[in-house]
């Protein structure tokens, strides 16, 4: 028997060893896992995107103020006790800068969380 | 066709990923099963491999076929699950195989019912080593080229032809052994 015929016979025999996924839910279970993975990925992607947007926006605002020689302390009225308290804290106590940064990131996290909630609800109802 | 669906998935239409599950699921299952010999584990490996592929889809460089890339992941996942070849493979003297053996196997095998044919080939495959089973499945069943098999299994292409040839011989010897009673009945 020549090699070509043996090849054909081998293929015919192995054809019988073909296996199939018999679990009827296999595809559905897998697709739901993939959709949830995709959802997780998009949330993570949004968080990074919002975070970078906030940071760059703040950096641009600070750069513009610096370019135009404007000090925030000069333009914000110091009439209320609240603003006076904040400015004296920032100017007089460097240790409070840490607190200030903490506040800044906390506020940013709350805004990002809110934006994420809105965008994920939107994508949920638009069928994405 | 694969590239069109790939693009759609990358553009955010996740539901189009089901195309790949329908197209490659069964073959991936065959490959995983031939390595680890367990239905539930093989199914789990196929699921994990699809998830891995989905997560890495944006990194897929389209210089090879999607199927080759995917089957490579299936093989790697199966092998790492197997850890080492625990299956006891039968020692086979491949030099013993002759045309007589092949012709004997052919005549008996063709006389069997479809379910018996399935039974005997599966018994024979279980007795073979993981590598032999995998190579026969990829080359004869999935009709992968030698280049693709090298990419999937990391076996050097120079050795591949010889390895497939020996695996084929082993399959015939083991089949002859398992079909012995059937052969005796026939004679």
């Amino acid at each position: 028997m020549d090699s070509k015929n043996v090849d054909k016979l081998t293929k015919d025999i192995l054809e019988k060893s073909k296996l199939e996924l018999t679990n009827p839910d296999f595809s559905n279970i897998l697709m739901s896992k993939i959709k949830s993975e995709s959802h997780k990925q998009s949330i993570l992607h949004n968080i990074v995107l919002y975070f970078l947007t906030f940071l760059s926006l703040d950096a641009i605002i600070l750069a513009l103020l610096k370019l135009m020689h404007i000090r925030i302390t000069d333009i914000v009225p110091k009439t209320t006790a609240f603003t006076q308290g904040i400015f004296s804290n920032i100017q007089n106590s460097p240790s409070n800068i840490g607190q200030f940064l903490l506040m800044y990131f906390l506020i940013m996290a709350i805004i990002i969380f809110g934006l994420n909630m809105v965008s994920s609800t939107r994508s949920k109802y638009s069928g994405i | 066709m694969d590239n069109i669906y790939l693009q759609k998935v990358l553009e955010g239409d996740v539901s189009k990923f089901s195309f790949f599950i329908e197209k490659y699921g069964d073959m991936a299952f065959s490959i995983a099963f031939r390595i680890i010999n367990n239905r539930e584990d093989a199914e789990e490996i196929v699921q994990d491999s699809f998830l891995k592929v989905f997560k890495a889809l944006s990194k897929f460089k389209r210089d090879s076929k999607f199927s080759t890339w995917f089957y490579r992941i299936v093989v790697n996942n199966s092998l790492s699950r197997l850890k080492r070849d625990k299956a006891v493979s039968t020692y086979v003297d491949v030099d013993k195989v002759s045309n007589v053996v092949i012709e004997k196997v052919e005549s008996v095998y063709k006389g069997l019912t479809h379910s018996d044919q399935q039974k005997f080939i599966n018994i024979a495959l279980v007795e073979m080593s993981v590598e032999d089973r995998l190579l026969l499945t990829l080359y004869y069943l999935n009709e992968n080229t030698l280049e693709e098999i090298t990419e999937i299994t990391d076996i050097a292409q120079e050795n591949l032809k010889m390895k497939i040839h020996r695996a084929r011989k082993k399959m015939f010897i083991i089949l002859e052994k398992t079909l012995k009673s059937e052969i005796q009945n026939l004679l």
Side-chain angles (χ1 to χ4, degrees), chain B residues 19-141:
Chain B
F19 166 80
F20 297 105
I21 300 172
E22 296 302 322
K23 190 172 175 187
Y24 299 114
D26 285 340
M27 194 59 218
F29 178 66
S30 287
I31 292 172
F33 184 86
R34 287 294 160 229
I35 295 173
I36 54 166
N37 254 325
N38 179 300
R39 267 199 105 82
E40 285 75 32
D41 284 351
E43 221 171 76
E44 217 174 282
I45 285 166
V46 176
Q47 276 208 3
D48 288 349
S49 305
F50 271 122
L51 272 171
K52 237 182 210 177
V53 159
F54 178 75
K55 284 181 196 168
L57 215 54
S58 56
K59 291 175 203 149
F60 171 52
K61 293 172 200 133
R62 300 179 198 189
D63 44 15
S64 66
K65 285 204 281 187
F66 173 86
S67 58
T68 311
W69 178 54
F70 173 56
Y71 291 146
R72 187 185 164 88
I73 290 171
V74 174
V75 168
N76 286 341
N77 276 355
S78 308
L79 289 175
S80 61
R81 176 79 64 102
L82 188 73
K83 291 274 192 319
R84 61 197 159 97
D85 190 355
K86 284 179 191 162
V88 184
S89 57
T90 309
Y91 171 74
V92 179
D93 185 358
V94 285
D95 296 328
K96 272 188 181 169
V97 80
S98 63
N99 268 353
V100 183
V101 170
I102 295 170
E103 278 160 18
K104 233 195 270 181
V105 167
E106 186 188 16
S107 65
V108 177
Y109 197 79
K110 282 188 173 163
L112 296 171
T113 61
H114 183 79
S115 63
D116 278 343
Q117 286 178 339
Q118 274 183 323
K119 189 180 89 184
F120 282 112
I121 183 59
N122 283 323
I123 291 171
L125 285 172
V126 167
E127 284 200 40
M128 296 173 79
S129 71
V130 169
E131 189 180 86
D132 289 340
R133 291 200 294 254
L134 182 61
L135 291 180
L136 290 178
T137 304
L138 291 173
Y139 189 72
Y140 287 106
L141 203 58

Side-chain angles (χ1 to χ4, degrees), chain A residues 1-41 127-128, chain B residues 12 14-15 17-18 21-22 25-26 29-30 33-34 39 43 46-47 50-51 54-55 99 102-103 105-106 109-110 114 117-118 121-122 125 136 139-141 143 168 171-172 175:
Chain A
M1 196 180 272
D2 65 51
S3 184
K4 247 187 183 164
N5 282 338
V6 180
D7 260 346
K8 199 190 164 307
L9 177 65
T10 312
K11 193 174 160 41
D12 285 347
I13 290 172
L14 282 166
E15 203 61 44
K16 307 289 184 307
S17 73
K18 216 173 208 166
L19 295 166
E20 279 176 11
L21 285 158
T22 45
N23 182 354
D25 295 327
F26 180 84
S27 191
N28 292 337
I29 293 168
L30 184 53
M31 274 314 288
S32 69
K33 278 186 184 177
I34 280 169
K35 278 177 184 163
S36 104
E37 179 58 38
S38 154
H39 190 60
K40 260 190 252 165
Q41 274 182 0
I128 299 167
Chain B
V14 181
S15 64
F17 195 78
S18 60
I21 300 172
E22 296 302 322
D26 285 340
F29 178 66
S30 287
F33 184 86
R34 287 294 160 229
R39 267 199 105 82
E43 221 171 76
V46 176
Q47 276 208 3
F50 271 122
L51 272 171
F54 178 75
K55 284 181 196 168
N99 268 353
I102 295 170
E103 278 160 18
V105 167
E106 186 188 16
Y109 197 79
K110 282 188 173 163
H114 183 79
Q117 286 178 339
Q118 274 183 323
I121 183 59
N122 283 323
L125 285 172
L136 290 178
Y139 189 72
Y140 287 106
L141 203 58
E143 296 180 339
R168 191 181 71 182
M171 187 192 83
F172 278 106
L175 259 181

